[in-house]
Amino acid sequence: MSGLIGKKIGMTSIFDENGKNIPCTVIEAGPCIVTQVRTEEVDGYKAVQLGFDDATEKSATKADLGHAKKAGTSVKRKIVEFKGFEEEYKLGDAITVEHFTEGEFVDVSGISKGKGYQGVVKRHGFGGVGQATHGQHNRLRAPGSIGAASYPARVFKGMKMAGRMGGEKVKVENLRVLKVVAEKNLLVVKGCVPGHKNAYVIIRK
């Protein structure tokens, strides 16, 4: 699937032609620079490596500097490989938000917001004492029973318990592109995408 690297700007809402208010997310998508071209002869597969968002040379390694110099561009903060581009690109080419068109559907993936250590009510949707989850009746948000008795005499792997929540890769599929603002490199998609503001996201179509 071809696509671009972007940065989540935030959420807003717009009105469609019928006057319906649609929640949407604004993403700064591109311009992405081609930093490497994978070929069947050399690498065994076809793909295009894209770089997004300039980094300072001070924070880059010598390997990063050499990689960027070969492509004739500056060092990039985020580098991702994409397969499925129909066009043939060469090193240093720029791919802009015009790669997408209004009305088509895209998949957006990113790292979800980290929530820290959370209990079973928030993390797994347990009902708490109101719905007497797992046999409890007087302890509000406790997990309740986590197993049987002398058999199996252990807790099964994968038991839903309290623990660290969020901070995982999440993909949201089939988001409709509502607007493409080429002069500002902005992409407006319907609904929400994972991550905090200014988080990197991968947009594929």
Side-chain angles (χ1 to χ4, degrees):
M1 295 170 73
S2 64
L4 283 179
I5 312 167
K7 187 187 281 188
K8 178 177 174 178
I9 302 298
M11 290 196 71
T12 183
S13 61
I14 59 176
F15 290 95
D16 65 5
E17 60 277 3
N18 299 318
K20 188 176 180 182
N21 193 14
I22 301 173
C24 54
T25 305
V26 181
I27 302 169
E28 181 188 338
C32 294
I33 308 299
V34 177
T35 53
Q36 192 170 1
V37 179
R38 303 284 192 182
T39 59
E40 290 277 1
E41 301 79 51
V42 178
D43 305 288
Y45 66 99
K46 286 186 70 175
V48 176
Q49 187 189 83
L50 301 182
F52 174 70
D53 205 8
D54 292 340
T56 58
E57 289 193 8
K58 181 182 175 185
S59 63
T61 63
K62 285 188 177 180
D64 291 336
L65 289 167
H67 192 67
K69 187 178 179 183
K70 192 173 180 182
T73 183
S74 57
V75 181
K76 302 299 179 186
R77 288 185 187 276
K78 185 74 173 173
I79 290 178
V80 180
E81 270 188 14
F82 293 89
K83 294 180 180 179
F85 276 106
E86 293 174 0
E87 304 86 352
E88 292 292 328
Y89 291 106
K90 57 183 186 293
L91 285 177
D93 285 354
I95 306 175
T96 65
V97 72
E98 290 171 303
H99 181 65
F100 300 103
T101 55
E102 292 181 13
E104 70 179 347
F105 290 86
V106 295
D107 298 344
V108 181
S109 58
I111 305 296
S112 62
K113 285 183 180 179
K115 310 271 186 197
Y117 193 96
Q118 296 298 330
V120 289
V121 173
K122 180 165 183 169
R123 192 175 186 220
H124 297 295
F126 281 21
V129 79
Q131 295 165 33
T133 303
H134 293 183
Q136 61 167 333
H137 64 96
N138 63 350
R139 293 186 312 282
L140 288 179
R141 301 171 74 92
S145 172
I146 59 168
S150 57
Y151 177 82
R154 65 192 177 91
V155 177
F156 289 119
K157 284 185 177 179
M159 178 66 61
K160 291 181 178 179
M161 292 183 172
R164 193 162 177 175
M165 181 180 175
E168 299 174 322
K169 186 174 181 180
V170 179
K171 181 192 276 190
V172 183
E173 298 181 325
N174 296 324
L175 297 177
R176 186 155 57 90
V177 175
L178 299 176
K179 200 176 282 187
V180 177
V181 187
E183 57 272 16
K184 293 185 178 179
N185 298 310
L186 296 180
L187 189 70
V188 182
V189 297
K190 183 179 178 180
C192 57
V193 304
H196 55 79
K197 288 180 182 177
N198 293 321
Y200 292 117
V201 292
I202 312 298
I203 312 140
R204 299 179 190 270
K205 68 172 185 174

